[in-house]
Amino acid sequence: MPSRSRTLLLVTVALALSALLAVAQDRTPPDRATLEQAMRDGNWKIAYDGYRALAHDPATDPALVGNDLQAAVQAIYNLGNQADFDALVEKAIEVHAANPRLLWSAAQCYFNAQNGYGSIVAGKFERGQHRGGTARFVYSMDRDRVRALQLMHEARTKFPADFDRPTLAQFHIEFANMLLQNRRGDGAD
């Protein structure tokens, strides 16, 4: 009997170790080269899952995470899954709230959102088309523009004093363009 309980213990330990290894492998960040290839090949789900993981990982390189977020958004559009857009972007903002580059990229995602409409379902906004007759159709372009401006303002306050001047100048030009979009000349109401 003692050898049987020892065998059972060894099997249990082996299973626990393999489970720990599987969890550790899941935490390995996706390889960007693989994700770029998946995008080129039209493997949108693989690209989306990988870029989303990078965008939501606090350990992702602060200089690259904004590009990861934008790639995840592009994959969402290619999948036709716009309903996940807001959750994807807002989670990245939550995780990287102190990173001005990520906030800038998130603002670009909102400002350039490909579908400026959605539905109000049970008091909650849902981006994209909604099935069923209980939803109220709404445009989200102004809502998206306001959120983009909020994020640009927040990003502006987080750039370090010694930040790259040409990049900072580009940021301010883009911020001004977002602010003035359709608010001058023939576009003004």
Side-chain angles (χ1 to χ4, degrees):
M1 283 300 225
S3 70
R4 188 174 204 180
S5 62
R6 182 178 288 160
T7 304
L8 183 59
L9 178 64
L10 287 174
V11 168
T12 304
V13 169
L15 287 173
L17 284 174
S18 63
L20 284 173
L21 285 173
V23 168
Q25 287 175 346
D26 285 346
R27 290 189 183 156
T28 303
D31 176 48
R32 282 186 180 84
T34 302
L35 297 177
E36 289 168 8
Q37 186 62 46
M39 288 287 274
R40 282 191 297 275
D41 293 343
N43 294 324
W44 312 124
K45 178 68 170 141
I46 292 169
Y48 171 64
D49 289 342
Y51 281 121
R52 181 186 62 207
L54 287 170
H56 293 172
D57 185 353
T60 299
D61 184 344
L64 300 176
V65 70
N67 294 335
D68 297 330
L69 175 61
Q70 289 184 344
V73 166
Q74 185 58 52
I76 260 185
Y77 288 139
N78 292 335
L79 285 168
N81 190 14
Q82 292 87 3
D84 289 345
F85 172 90
D86 295 277
L88 166 72
V89 176
E90 290 300 324
K91 176 69 176 178
I93 292 166
E94 179 185 321
V95 171
H96 301 280
N99 182 344
R101 286 181 182 268
L102 181 278
L103 297 174
W104 183 5
S105 290
Q108 291 169 330
C109 290
Y110 274 113
F111 194 75
N112 299 317
Q114 289 184 9
N115 58 343
Y117 62 90
S119 302
I120 302 292
V121 181
K124 183 180 171 196
F125 175 74
E126 223 177 78
R127 190 171 297 273
Q129 292 184 342
H130 176 76
R131 291 178 152 181
T134 60
R136 182 171 51 100
F137 182 82
V138 294
Y139 286 101
S140 63
M141 291 174 287
D142 288 335
R143 171 188 178 272
D144 293 340
R145 179 178 172 269
V146 167
R147 184 64 178 132
L149 291 171
Q150 290 170 341
L151 292 166
M152 292 295 278
H153 174 70
E154 192 174 337
R156 184 182 59 81
T157 65
K158 298 194 185 298
F159 281 108
D162 61 346
F163 195 78
D164 174 47
R165 294 287 185 201
T167 303
L168 199 54
Q170 182 61 38
F171 168 84
H172 282 96
I173 289 168
E174 190 170 338
F175 193 2
N177 286 334
M178 285 182 183
L179 189 60
L180 294 173
Q181 181 71 26
N182 293 329
R183 302 308 189 262
R184 59 179 183 240
D186 291 341
D189 290 333

